[in-house]
Every structure is written in C-alpha cells, then in structure tokens.
Amino acid sequence: MYQMRDDIQSILVDENTISDICDRLAAKITQDHRDSNRELILVTVLKGSVFFATDLIRRIPLPCGLEFMKVSSYGSGTSTSGFIQVHLDLKRDITGADVIIIEDIIDSGRTLQKLKHLLEDKGANSVKCCTLLDKPDRRQVEMQVDYVGTVIPDEFVVGYGLDFDEKYRNLPYVGILKPSVYQK
Ligand code: IMP
Ligand code: MG
C-alpha cells in the first residue's frame, strides 16, 4: 500500500511541536489583545492555513472572528510591480477591527505584504501577521511578521495544510518532500 509518508524525506515539525507552537502563539495573541475593546478577527488564507487557524483559534479564550480569503500573488522576482489577485474576498466589514492574518508559510513575503495593505485599505484598525512557518532565506520584500511559529530552512515542505499539487495537505506533520517527487 502506497502511503504519503513514502514521499517524505524527513519530518521537520512533528505533531507535538505543532501543538506547542499553537499553545505559545495563542497565549501571546491573547495577552496582546485581552485588554482591547476592539473586535479581533483572524483572516485565514485558503487553503493551506486552515489547519493552523482552527487549531490556533480554539486556544484563544477571547471573542474572535474567523474569516477566509483566497488570494494569489504574481510579480517578477526582482520588481515590486507584482499584484495580488483576490479569488475569494471577505464577506464582512472589518472597519475598526484588529485583524491578524493567519498564514501557513512565508516564503518571498509578497503575498502577505500585499494582503496586509489590502486589509489596511479596507479600514482595519491594525493588521498583524501570524505564520506557522517562516523561510527567511527566501524573503524578497521587507515584512514584519508579528507571530512566528518556527523558522525553517529553504526546503520545499508539505503537510498540515501545505500542499504540492494539491496533495499532502492531510499529513498531520510538516515534512520535507523528497525532491524525486517534484522533479518527476
Ligand atoms: P510568498 O510568501 O508570497 O512567496 O508565498 C507563500 C505561499 O507560497 C504560501 O502561502 C504557500 O502557498 C506557497 N509556498 C511557499 N513555500 C512553500 C513550501 O515549502 N511548501 C508548500 N507551499 C509553499
Ligand atoms: Mg498559502
């Protein structure tokens, strides 16, 4: 029987570590927002971040909205002329709210940077960023990330929401994909 595990070179972030990261980041988000009267909204980027967002929000004991967007970012490697394409937009007003964008991974940082500006333009009081994984070696734009789960090396990873060709999202851990899989 073929199993997805056969395509994984090594496990980078196991289930216990993911759980510890969610505990830590949820505690920090709670601490940072507990004394605020403003509405707190997590904006989750489909599809990869859904697993992380639902684990995180369950650990936040404050009233907290959950919204979804689907976006993709285009632009050449060296210019900043790329744009963001919105495939699924917010269905509600976020004016005056404190928004936290939930991402699975930050690579070049382009998607997050553009999404942040978009949400600021929609009238949010503040827009912060929270990511499970950060690949700082790949960063192409200056980007402040407020909550980081863990920094990882420049490897292509899958699992816990992250896909290759829409596969491997349902692995319960984050693993490095064998290069032979995507070099085929
Ligand atoms: P960027 O930060 O704008 O370059 O894009 C980040 C997006 O690229 C993420 O939301 C993922 O969808 C995708 N991505 C980047 N690195 C990986 C990876 O190692 N595995 C799976 N998807 C990735
Ligand atoms: Mg993504």
Side-chain angles (χ1 to χ4, degrees):
M1 180 184 63
Y2 160 76
Q3 296 194 14
M4 291 183 288
R5 179 68 181 87
D6 303 336
D7 295 338
I8 302 301
Q9 186 174 296
S10 61
I11 295 176
L12 201 57
V13 192
D14 65 21
E15 288 178 74
N16 284 333
T17 306
I18 290 172
S19 177
D20 290 348
I21 288 171
C22 291
D23 285 344
R24 174 171 57 82
L25 294 183
K28 185 77 172 76
I29 289 171
T30 303
Q31 190 188 6
D32 291 350
H33 295 86
R34 66 195 320 157
D35 298 323
S36 168
N37 293 322
R38 281 184 293 270
E39 194 175 5
L40 179 62
I41 305 174
L42 303 190
V43 171
T44 306
V45 183
L46 294 173
K47 304 174 191 172
S49 311
V50 167
F51 298 66
F52 178 42
T54 58
D55 279 344
L56 198 62
I57 199 168
R58 271 177 279 194
R59 289 164 161 87
I60 299 173
L62 309 173
C64 183
L66 182 63
E67 297 294 327
F68 299 95
M69 287 185 79
K70 194 167 195 327
V71 297
S72 53
S73 175
Y74 298 94
S76 70
T78 49
S79 81
T80 51
S81 61
F83 63 94
I84 190 167
Q85 190 174 356
V86 177
H87 305 283
L88 176 74
D89 207 345
L90 292 180
K91 297 286 185 281
R92 53 157 297 181
D93 183 20
I94 59 166
T95 306
D98 286 327
V99 169
I100 305 177
I101 301 170
I102 308 296
E103 264 287 17
D104 46 5
I105 189 164
I106 303 176
D107 190 57
S108 72
R110 286 182 189 284
T111 313
L112 194 58
Q113 189 194 48
K114 297 206 178 62
L115 184 57
K116 188 171 194 242
H117 290 151
L118 195 88
L119 295 172
E120 283 166 355
D121 288 347
K122 284 177 184 282
N125 174 70
S126 68
V127 181
K128 292 201 273 193
C129 305
C130 174
T131 187
L132 175 69
L133 306 172
D134 188 7
K135 274 189 202 175
D137 294 346
R138 299 262 305 169
R139 198 74 88 254
Q140 289 176 20
V141 293
E142 285 263 343
M143 186 68 226
Q144 189 201 328
V145 188
D146 306 274
Y147 306 101
V148 176
T150 187
V151 169
I152 63 164
D154 182 12
E155 303 271 8
F156 194 83
V157 294
V158 293
Y160 193 65
L162 290 145
D163 74 306
F164 170 67
D165 204 14
E166 292 300 326
K167 281 190 300 196
Y168 309 104
R169 291 193 197 277
N170 54 324
L171 284 171
Y173 49 79
V174 175
I176 298 174
L177 191 61
K178 285 181 183 168
S180 57
V181 176
Y182 53 81
Q183 283 164 1
K184 262 184 225 166

